[in-house]
Amino acid sequence: MPIRVLPPEVASRIAAGEVIERPASAVKELVENSLDAGAAEIRIDVREGGRRLIRVVDDGIGIPTTEASLAFERHATSKLTSSDDLEHIATLGFRGEALASIASVAQVTLLTRHADEAVGTQIRVDGGHLVSQEAKGAPPGTAIVVENLFYNVPARLKFLRQPATESSHIAATVRNFALAFPERRFSLTSDGRLVFRSTGSGRLEDVLVKVYGLEKARQMVAIEHGESSNAARVAGFVSLPSLSRSNRNQIDLFLNRRHIQDRALTFAVTEAYRNRLMVGRYPVAVVLIDMDPSLVDVNVHPAKAEVRFQDERGVFRAVQKAIVATLTEHAPAPEIRPDAVTWAVPAWAERRQALLAAGQGLQQQMDLTSPPAAPDWASLPQRDDSTHANEESPAAALAAVPAEQNGIAQRATSSESAPAADGNFEQQAADILPMLRVVGQMGATFIVAEGPEGMYLVDQHAAHERILFEQMMAQQAAHSVPQQAMLEPIVFEAGTVHGGLLAAFAEELTATGFGVEPFGSDTWLVRSVPAVYARVDPRRALEEVLEGIADGRDLVGDTREAALTAVICKRAAIKGGQVLSLEEMRQLVRQLEACQNPGSCPHGRPTMLVLSTAQLEREFGRRG
Ligand code: ADP
Ligand code: MG
């Protein structure tokens, strides 16, 4: 094909795609404009995850009538006049691209009145073409309605996720603005439901409570900025070690009030927690960095999400130092007394996890298709629940699920039929396993066992959570999650709070085995539940899971599916306080040994602790 210059329409849609990737990006650009306009209150409404409609209403300065249509021109901005201004950008926008981009891929209505003018202006633009402009009465400020985003870019439309997922991106965007601008009032409604609201009190603490809930906000402390380094001034809030997550998603960084992504700075935050959090646990943090705009380039990323620092190391050090100082003051690192009796997470469990992770690249195929090889709970001798189902006890429920129902996938590989020596790493990992000999049960909660390193205590609940989690994740990867189908669908009256959660998590609930579908306002039909819930009242199972989501504490994991699975497993696992037979304990320990990551439950708590033989000997005076 000969080289041709693209027609302007095509070129502008391509350019739009770089700035406006999804509905949340449009929300971000519109809110930035409202903030730049000095708005004190910003109201955001979206419908169908922002695809159908995004409305942003502000009480900012407004746009003068003579300039209103210019706002939609590409590279039209009131925020920059010369390229010198690029050296020290103090506004959130500066490229004059956002409105033009949005208008080229949607139907946009702008209603605005400048503070100094008596009458406002209404402008309609459709797919980049001006449709109408008229004088119209309006309160001071600006209201922009974006309808049918991407209606003329089918490739982009296909790429969008379910409305609930897009909504959650939008909610995250709005929350980040609220954190960066505590003195402004934000509200977000999604399909008429209030999702988020900040008060505009000017106190970051108040926003933290809105974003994370009181319980978590209480476990966060203000960053002591100490002497402000000339590179950067650091403020914000970080979690005490009592509050942690299994991923870095709740480390939010802001540069001059702009939410940014920066791997190095994220690392600076996690480094500050070294020795304060268990391996694999990460803090919750809102880190506000302020610095002279001329020392940073914000013009390196289409969506302005990444920045380049002139003195990156200086900023890194400032962040790390401020957080370490904060933590030292509020949560001194525990001193290790060398002679104290210490229970430890067995070293082999961590070695094994590392080995398996190293082998993952080679073994991915295997890992996806074969769940941990082990006998499963379904094959345990049944206890006295054959006569009456004990709905209170998931363990009994598990044990009593007929094998055919309880997961074809997990039965496909029992320890006998598992292919031997699947690969170097797996073999090595298997060699690391000590054979634990079960001695007995303590407090109906801990399994006491003997291993080569010494004496083991296994938390039966945490261990079972880990086992179920790995089984379910393997089943999901193989798209064969065993379900328990209802004879008749159950009508589930969710109420507004749980209804909202159901809508937001419908996709993931389906992936984990809950067959749910909407059935009128806040009412849902339940057609199936995950097989691990086979003997639990399905209504209660769903309620428990929704409570788990609402609680949020257990909602950890690298994906929403994994997070939800962790919630399900927590609810389905045998509880502490349940007496187990020796055979049941042996089965549990065998299955735990077969896990990829046997040392901790999906929420990062240890499944087992070991007291070394050497320590025991010392304590009993048998050895110096
Ligand atoms: P930029 O923000 O980079 O200047 P935009 O395309 O986002 O580019 O907006 C273009 C111009 O339209 C802005 O420079 C501003 O003058 C005006 N504008 C957009 N939204 C608003 C608003 N909510 N209130 C006041 N002016 C606005
Ligand atoms: Mg802008």
Side-chain angles (χ1 to χ4, degrees):
M1 275 205 292
I3 299 179
R4 270 176 306 172
V5 174
L6 289 174
E9 272 187 7
V10 180
S12 73
R13 274 181 219 163
I14 292 175
E18 291 194 1
V19 183
I20 309 300
E21 192 193 341
R22 61 191 334 159
S25 353
V27 170
K28 171 171 175 286
E29 294 293 339
L30 295 174
V31 172
E32 285 190 352
N33 283 346
S34 298
L35 289 165
D36 283 343
E41 172 163 19
I42 301 171
R43 297 203 319 262
I44 303 125
D45 302 288
V46 299
R47 301 216 162 262
E48 294 173 24
R51 270 158 77 155
R52 184 72 255 298
L53 177 140
I54 297 169
R55 182 195 296 120
V56 176
V57 180
D58 70 48
D59 58 358
I61 185 77
I63 308 178
T65 300
T66 51
E67 294 174 17
S69 66
L70 260 185
F72 290 99
E73 298 283 329
R74 197 163 290 281
H75 311 304
T77 176
S78 57
K79 301 168 194 175
L80 280 191
T81 50
S82 72
S83 70
D84 287 352
D85 293 350
L86 266 179
E87 303 294 316
H88 41 78
I89 290 166
T91 49
L92 293 164
F94 52 85
R95 291 198 190 118
E97 249 178 354
L99 281 188
S101 295
I102 294 170
S104 73
V105 294
Q107 289 142 357
V108 177
T109 307
L110 164 76
L111 177 60
T112 184
R113 173 154 81 86
H114 191 270
D116 295 340
E117 296 181 358
V119 187
T121 312
Q122 176 166 292
I123 292 186
R124 281 183 207 277
V125 182
D126 186 336
H129 301 288
L130 183 71
V131 176
S132 66
Q133 169 161 4
E134 58 193 308
K136 191 160 186 166
T142 303
I144 297 195
V145 179
V146 177
E147 286 168 284
N148 304 317
L149 187 65
F150 300 132
Y151 79 98
N152 54 0
V153 197
R156 181 69 62 168
L157 261 188
K158 247 187 291 175
F159 180 79
L160 291 186
R161 304 281 308 268
Q162 289 205 352
T165 309
E166 296 300 338
S167 285
S168 71
H169 283 285
I170 292 171
T173 302
V174 174
R175 285 191 191 108
N176 284 337
F177 279 119
L179 288 168
F181 294 88
E183 78 285 8
R184 321 270 188 122
R185 218 158 62 225
F186 293 88
S187 69
L188 169 67
T189 66
S190 176
D191 295 316
R193 192 192 301 277
L194 181 69
V195 175
F196 179 79
R197 176 158 53 195
S198 71
T199 59
S201 70
R203 287 161 39 93
L204 182 52
E205 295 93 314
D206 294 342
V207 188
L208 288 176
V209 171
K210 296 283 182 189
V211 172
Y212 299 116
L214 189 59
E215 163 101 0
K216 290 200 188 80
R218 274 202 184 120
Q219 298 176 68
M220 297 181 74
V221 291
I223 296 175
E224 319 278 338
H225 29 85
E227 96 269 31
S228 77
S229 106
N230 50 3
R233 228 179 62 89
V234 183
F237 277 79
V238 288
S239 58
L240 294 170
S242 58
L243 174 64
S244 67
R245 324 288 296 173
S246 68
N247 59 44
R248 300 173 184 82
N249 294 347
Q250 290 197 358
I251 300 175
D252 285 305
L253 306 171
F254 298 84
L255 172 80
N256 294 342
R257 295 188 158 206
R258 191 190 292 281
H259 188 257
I260 58 165
Q261 313 279 344
D262 190 298
R263 293 181 66 156
L265 290 185
T266 304
F267 184 62
V269 176
T270 57
E271 270 299 284
Y273 282 81
R274 189 201 269 272
N275 296 333
R276 286 193 167 84
L277 287 181
M278 268 190 271
V279 176
R281 302 296 296 175
Y282 303 94
V284 179
V286 177
V287 182
L288 309 172
I289 304 164
D290 271 308
M291 62 192 298
D292 180 344
S294 68
L295 299 177
V296 58
D297 186 358
V298 292
N299 193 20
V300 294
H301 185 269
K304 298 168 282 183
E306 284 166 25
V307 300
R308 201 166 290 145
F309 297 102
Q310 225 171 65
D311 175 16
E312 176 163 3
R313 281 153 127 241
V315 182
F316 185 100
R317 273 196 302 271
V319 167
Q320 195 181 10
K321 209 169 128 199
I323 298 179
V324 168
T326 305
L327 292 175
T328 311
E329 164 142 3
H330 292 276
E335 271 178 47
I336 310 245
R337 284 182 300 131
D339 57 344
V341 178
T342 43
W343 288 84
V345 175
W348 62 264
E350 282 174 4
R351 277 212 312 281
R352 175 177 158 76
Q353 190 196 351
L355 257 178
L356 283 169
Q360 209 106 73
L362 306 172
Q363 290 293 315
Q364 210 143 38
Q365 217 48 32
M366 273 308 303
D367 291 344
L368 289 183
T369 48
S370 67
D376 68 68
W377 280 90
S379 60
L380 291 181
Q382 292 196 6
R383 304 202 306 186
D384 63 354
D385 49 6
S386 48
T387 43
H388 56 95
N390 177 2
E391 292 204 334
E392 299 303 311
S393 157
L398 275 179
V401 178
E404 312 82 79
Q405 278 177 23
N406 191 17
I408 301 81
Q410 74 203 45
R411 298 193 55 77
T413 46
S414 75
S415 57
E416 296 84 16
S417 64
D422 296 314
N424 233 341
F425 286 106
E426 289 218 339
Q427 186 55 52
Q428 281 182 41
D431 289 345
I432 291 177
L433 284 187
M435 293 301 287
L436 295 188
R437 186 177 68 83
V438 173
V439 177
Q441 195 183 22
M442 225 193 75
T445 299
F446 303 107
I447 299 169
V448 185
E450 176 192 3
E453 277 175 86
M455 174 178 168
Y456 280 73
L457 285 183
V458 177
D459 180 323
Q460 65 194 38
H461 172 66
H464 197 208
E465 262 186 284
R466 162 56 58 188
I467 294 163
L468 291 178
F469 181 75
E470 291 200 6
Q471 284 175 352
M472 282 192 75
M473 290 307 288
Q475 289 158 357
Q476 283 171 38
H479 299 291
S480 66
V481 179
Q483 302 181 339
Q484 169 77 36
M486 307 289 108
L487 288 177
E488 303 232 341
I490 285 173
V491 179
F492 183 74
E493 309 270 0
T496 50
V497 175
H498 280 181
L501 291 173
L502 252 170
F505 278 81
E507 212 176 322
E508 291 80 8
L509 282 164
T510 308
T512 49
F514 277 103
V516 290
E517 57 191 67
F519 189 63
S521 76
D522 290 333
T523 304
W524 291 67
L525 285 187
V526 184
R527 295 195 183 275
S528 67
V529 294
V532 289
Y533 282 141
R535 294 291 287 264
V536 186
D537 170 17
R539 254 192 214 95
R540 225 178 89 196
L542 190 53
E543 236 149 49
E544 283 188 357
V545 167
L546 291 171
E547 263 150 35
I549 299 175
D551 180 23
R553 214 179 350 210
D554 303 321
L555 213 51
V556 296
D558 294 331
T559 62
R560 281 161 60 102
E561 283 84 357
L564 184 64
T565 305
V567 171
I568 291 173
C569 294
K570 183 183 168 94
R571 292 322 190 258
I574 48 163
K575 304 280 184 297
Q578 182 167 344
V579 179
L580 300 178
S581 72
L582 200 60
E583 184 49 32
E584 284 171 324
M585 288 189 280
R586 281 189 191 129
Q587 297 268 16
L588 185 72
V589 168
R590 289 293 157 268
Q591 292 189 32
L592 183 64
E593 287 174 348
C595 283
Q596 291 224 345
N597 183 3
S600 63
C601 81
H603 306 102
R605 287 183 286 274
T607 52
M608 58 181 129
L609 297 173
V610 63
L611 184 58
S612 75
T613 313
Q615 279 185 327
L616 275 173
E617 285 175 341
R618 250 198 327 269
E619 288 303 308
F620 282 109
R622 288 172 159 269
R623 217 163 67 164

